[in-house]
Each structure stands twice: as structure tokens, then as C-alpha cells.
């Protein structure tokens, strides 16, 4: 079982996912979203109460050091499976959920065992440089802006779009379920923001204003519990222009109606080193917002 007062390493998370499959065999299945340079699997679970439903995709831990991201994704899975609260039960029943808490497993392990502040994957790319930023490697305006061509950089985009096995395999998995997807959520830290595509332009896409309003309302729901205030907007407008991120590709290539990137707690006091006593409050307020997104997504189509 998983407490919400500590960060868990990859083995603990993967074992916990296996436990969920064993505990709820009719509802939860084990899924593999892809594989990694060091030979690991990108492990996830699918929660489904029946066929023919639209789906939600939760992407956690693409940046290794952002430990609150897998913790948040795990909590959402836990709530969907254990809560008796009306909205949560409905959310679990009305959508299929594809849940991947750690989409950069090699990097995540490295932050536990070697360098707490590691961000990228772990593939050697030059004689003195390791790692590609997996949120710069997707094939959408690759290397256009806010990404580096230097292997030593923390935002190194890689030698080419989808050069990395992690992004290539996960994107193939996503293609396979694209028709089902209604809502895609990518979880990062930190800054307390809800970001919308695209990373290279502030020009709104077709349903941008609807997506913006839905996001704003959800961040209103997030703020109720502890007063945490998230800003909502286009990536290029409210943080910095950056291309090759997962949500841009998911929006542009898979045409998923609603696509967001959370930058979780905090606003910089502790940054990536968010204290463990903030895990639960963070997770609860984010869950409040996810339920609100679900409520709105149902009516959106
Ligand atoms: O720069 C990033 O990849 C994200 N910020 S972080 O501090 N967590 O590294 C923001 C990504 C938002 N952009 C896209 N997903 N395109
Ligand atoms: Zn990040």
C-alpha cells in the first residue's frame, strides 16, 4: 500500500501498480506504454468499467526530478479505485483511464540513486554528455524554440524528433488509443500553472477558448480546499516558448479535444524538493480539479 507522506522509488510504484491489478482484477489491467534505453518498461494501469467509453490519459514523471508528479498520478488512480464520493465514482465509471505515473523510468531511478536533480533520460549522447529532455523530443516543431541542440544542456532535444525510445514507444502507444482520447493530462512541477498548447505560438487553436474556460473553472475548483492559486494559459504566453513537448504533439497530431500540462506545487520556495508534508494537500487539490475537468469534459464532446 502507498502512504501519501513519502516519495516512492520506481520499484515501490511498480509493485503498487501490480497490487492494484491483483486487488481489482475486473476493473484494472496492467499496460505497457513503452520501453527505455536501460531496458525498463513504462508501466501503467488501465481502469475500465466497460467498453465504448471515452478515455483520459495521465502522463507523470517525464522529468525525473519532479517527484510530486508520479505521486499525484498515483493518488488520482487510488482515488478512482477506492473513493465512495459521488463525483469520483462517476469519473471512474464514465471514462476509461490510462495511467502512467513514471514515463521516464531510467531518469527517475537515477534521481533516487545518484543525482536528485536529474531531469532527462539516461542515454549517452556524446563522450561527456548523457540524456535527452523527453519533453523536447516529440515530433512537433522539434528544436524550433526553447530547446537546445547541445547534448550537455538540460533541455537537449535529442539528435532528431522521436530519437528516444521512451518518446517513440509512448507516442506509438498513444496513436493506438487516439480515437478514444478525450482528455490528456501531463504532470510536471513546479510553479502552480495549468498550461495549454502550443509551446511555439500564442495564436489560439480551434477550441482554445473553450479549453481555456474549462481550465480556468477547474483551477477554481482546485483553489477551494487550500486557497492554492494556479494561473491558466498558453505555454508560450505564461512561462516560455518551448517546442517538442508531449502535449503539443498530442494536440496537433492526435487531435485530442482537451489537453493540459500541470505545473504542480509549489511556486518556488522548495521547488523540485517539495516537502513530503505537501504531497497529500497537493494531491487532494489536484484531484478536486481533475474531477471538475471530468465533469466539464463529459459535456464537451
Ligand atoms: O519546460 C518544460 O518542459 C515544462 N516545464 S518544467 O519546469 N517542468 O520543465 C513545461 C512544458 C510545457 N510545454 C509543453 N508541454 N509543450
Ligand atoms: Zn517538467
Amino acid at each position: 500500500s502507498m502512504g501519501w507522506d513519502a516519495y516512492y522509488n520506481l520499484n515501490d510504484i511498480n509493485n503498487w501498480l501490480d497490487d492494484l491489478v491483483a486487488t481489482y482484477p475486473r476493473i484494472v489491467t496492467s499496460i505497457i506504454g513503452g520501453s527505455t534505453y536501460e531496458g525498463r518498461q513504462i508501466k501503467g494501469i488501465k481502469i475500465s468499467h466497460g467498453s465504448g467509453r471515452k478515455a483520459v490519459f495521465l502522463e507523470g514523471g517525464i522529468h525525473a526530478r519532479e517527484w510530486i508528479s508520479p505521486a499525484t498520478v498515483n493518488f488520482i488512480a487510488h482515488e478512482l479505485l477506492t473513493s465512495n464520493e459521488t463525483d469520483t465514482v462517476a469519473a471512474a465509471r464514465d471514462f476509461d483511464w490510462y495511467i502512467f505515473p513514471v514515463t521516464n523510468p531510467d531518469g527517475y531511478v537515477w534521481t533516487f540513486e545518484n543525482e536528485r536533480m536529474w531531469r532527462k533520460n539516461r542515454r549517452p549522447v556524446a563522450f561527456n554528455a548523457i540524456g535527452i529532455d523527453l519533453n523536447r523530443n516529440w515530433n512537433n516543431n522539434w528544436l524550433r524554440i526553447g530547446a537546445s541542440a547541445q547534448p550537455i544542456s538540460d533541455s537537449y532535444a535529442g539528435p532528431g524528433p522521436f530519437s528516444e525510445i521512451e518518446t517513440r514507444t509512448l507516442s506509438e502507444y498513444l496513436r493506438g488509443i487516439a480515437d478514444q482520447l478525450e482528455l490528456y493530462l501531463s504532470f510536471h512541477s513546479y510553479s502552480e500553472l495549468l498550461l495549454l498548447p502550443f509551446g511555439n505560438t500564442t495564436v489560439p487553436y480551434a477550441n482554445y477558448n473553450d479549453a481555456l474556460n474549462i481550465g480556468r473553472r477547474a483551477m477554481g475548483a482546485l483553489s477551494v480546499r487550500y486557497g492554492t492559486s494556479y494561473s491558466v494559459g498558453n505555454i508560450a504566453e505564461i512561462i516560455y516558448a518551448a517546442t517538442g513537448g508531449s502535449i503539443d504533439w498530442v494536440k496537433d497530431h492526435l487531435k485530442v479535444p482537451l489537453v493540459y500540462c500541470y505545473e504542480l506545487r509549489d511556486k518556488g520556495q522548495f521547488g523540485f524538493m517539495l516537502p513530503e508534508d505537501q504531497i497529500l494537500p497537493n494531491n487532494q487539490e489536484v484531484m478536486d480539479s481533475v474531477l471538475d475537468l471530468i465533469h466539464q469534459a463529459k459535456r464537451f464532446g
Side-chain angles (χ1 to χ4, degrees), residues 134-149:
L134 296 180
N135 212 36
R136 297 291 182 279
N137 190 241
W138 296 65
N139 189 12
N140 198 73
N141 289 305
W142 178 81
L143 199 55
R144 177 84 44 104
I145 188 169
S148 176

Side-chain angles (χ1 to χ4, degrees), residues 2-47:
M2 181 137 308
W4 308 106
D5 51 1
Y7 294 106
Y8 289 89
N9 68 30
L10 187 71
N11 275 336
D12 289 341
I13 293 173
N14 285 345
N15 288 337
W16 179 73
L17 294 175
D18 288 342
D19 288 347
L20 294 179
V21 176
T23 309
Y24 307 99
R26 288 172 308 282
I27 301 160
V28 182
T29 50
S30 182
I31 51 179
I32 306 299
S35 43
T36 77
Y37 173 74
E38 292 178 346
R40 295 186 175 86
Q41 293 177 324
I42 299 173
K43 245 174 103 69
I45 55 166
K46 180 182 179 184
I47 300 177

Side-chain angles (χ1 to χ4, degrees), residues 63 66 119 188-189:
H63 285 148
E66 299 166 11
R119 165 179 167 101
H188 289 254
S189 72

Side-chain angles (χ1 to χ4, degrees), residues 193-247:
L193 306 170
L194 188 73
L195 304 171
L196 285 73
F198 288 97
N200 61 309
T201 174
T202 56
V203 177
Y205 47 87
N207 69 1
Y208 179 78
N209 283 315
D210 288 337
L212 182 66
N213 288 331
I214 288 170
R216 282 184 176 148
R217 204 191 99 167
M219 293 307 104
L222 185 150
S223 73
V224 172
R225 196 182 281 262
Y226 298 113
T228 310
S229 160
Y230 274 57
S231 301
V232 185
N234 165 274
I235 296 162
E237 213 167 87
I238 68 170
I239 42 172
Y240 41 69
T243 60
S246 62
I247 69 166

